[in-house]
Amino acid sequence: MLKYAIKMYLREIFMNTTYWVILGLLLGAEYFAATQYESSLAFVELLQFIAIPIYIFLVSTVFFTEDKVLTFELVLFRKWSTVARGRLLSLLLSILPFMIFTVFLAGHYNRNDLIAPISVAILFYSSAVLISTTIGGGSRLYVLSMGLLFMLPFSSLVLIQNQANIGNPVQGFMGYLTYLFAPIYGSYAVSSGILLVNVDKANLGILLFSFLLGLGYLYIFERREVYP
């Protein structure tokens, strides 16, 4: 049943005109930022604060379901574990087209230093939004996911810029937390000397944290109660 669950979720994501329109606009904006601006900051800020949050939100809304819809999925696929794993795997598959193009674009325009931050950022935001779906569906989930995707990276931007204005780099635990919230912009800040963290350790930490969020999602989701 798992493969049928994955097929159904992917069909809901990809068999949608809105998805392809927004994907085309985002990829076009990335290409424009990479080719039309000499500074890499435009590309970095577009990815961190606009393109990635919008894309993750776009492919995640399929899972913002009310209990009535979730009940139907449980009847259809018979097990909590099938629904949970189907959602997790289909979300991972749905981010591949965007991730592959974005990583290719960064590498093609000699921004290999951004490849790892781009990858871990997409994985982190995806897993964070997915685990948020365990609270239920409806408007509160939309608000929470928007906060995770847009306010977390923006908070890192504000902190880094405020510290840069007074001449103090962000470092230590706060530095790694700041990098976690905005890995792509954090990588740029490290190269600029205003964020002092070990990028390799930070990326590895985000990868492991994303994995733990995924496991946490499976554990919590399978123990949910629904009220159809």
Side-chain angles (χ1 to χ4, degrees):
M1 295 299 291
L2 179 59
K3 69 176 183 179
Y4 296 110
I6 294 173
K7 285 182 179 180
M8 188 191 78
Y9 293 130
L10 291 180
R11 189 181 299 115
E12 288 188 51
I13 294 171
F14 293 132
M15 299 299 289
N16 189 325
T17 303
T18 302
Y19 168 84
W20 295 104
V21 170
I22 295 178
L23 177 63
L25 291 174
L26 293 178
L27 298 184
E30 288 182 18
Y31 179 78
F32 181 82
T35 57
Q36 300 301 315
Y37 292 91
E38 293 184 5
S39 171
S40 63
L41 183 57
F43 183 61
V44 166
E45 291 184 336
L46 173 70
L47 289 178
Q48 183 66 81
F49 303 111
I50 301 176
I52 291 178
I54 289 177
Y55 186 81
I56 298 301
F57 183 80
L58 175 67
V59 298
S60 299
T61 52
V62 171
F63 311 117
F64 294 179
T65 51
E66 298 282 2
D67 283 355
K68 291 182 180 180
V69 178
L70 179 56
T71 302
F72 170 76
E73 293 176 10
L74 290 171
V75 172
L76 188 63
F77 301 124
R78 302 177 185 174
K79 295 181 180 179
W80 279 99
S81 60
T82 302
V83 177
R85 293 170 188 174
R87 290 184 172 198
L88 176 61
L89 293 174
S90 58
L91 180 60
L92 292 176
L93 290 172
S94 68
I95 64 179
L96 287 179
F98 178 81
M99 180 186 287
I100 290 172
F101 178 86
T102 304
V103 166
F104 171 79
L105 200 61
H108 183 71
Y109 289 100
N110 299 317
R111 290 312 312 267
N112 293 325
D113 58 310
L114 292 178
I115 292 177
I118 288 170
S119 302
V120 297
I122 293 174
L123 290 173
F124 167 64
Y125 295 131
S126 298
S127 58
V129 171
L130 192 61
I131 198 171
S132 73
T133 63
T134 58
I135 69 169
S139 58
R140 61 179 177 174
L141 185 53
Y142 281 88
V143 173
L144 177 58
S145 61
M146 292 285 282
L148 289 172
L149 293 170
F150 292 95
M151 296 308 296
L152 284 185
F154 184 73
S155 65
S156 290
L157 171 66
V158 172
L159 176 61
I160 290 173
Q161 290 189 343
N162 286 343
Q163 291 299 105
N165 288 337
I166 61 177
N168 291 331
V170 184
Q171 54 188 321
F173 173 77
M174 187 58 66
Y176 282 97
L177 187 63
T178 301
Y179 189 93
L180 168 67
F181 290 164
I184 303 170
Y185 186 78
S187 177
Y188 175 84
V190 169
S191 65
S192 301
I194 54 178
L195 179 63
L196 303 181
V197 299
N198 185 305
V199 173
D200 292 334
K201 289 182 179 179
N203 289 332
L204 179 60
I206 295 174
L207 186 62
L208 293 175
F209 186 56
S210 300
F211 178 74
L212 291 176
L213 285 178
L215 292 180
Y217 164 75
L218 294 175
Y219 179 83
I220 297 171
F221 187 89
E222 292 180 21
R223 286 156 180 79
R224 277 188 61 187
E225 293 184 2
V226 295
Y227 303 93

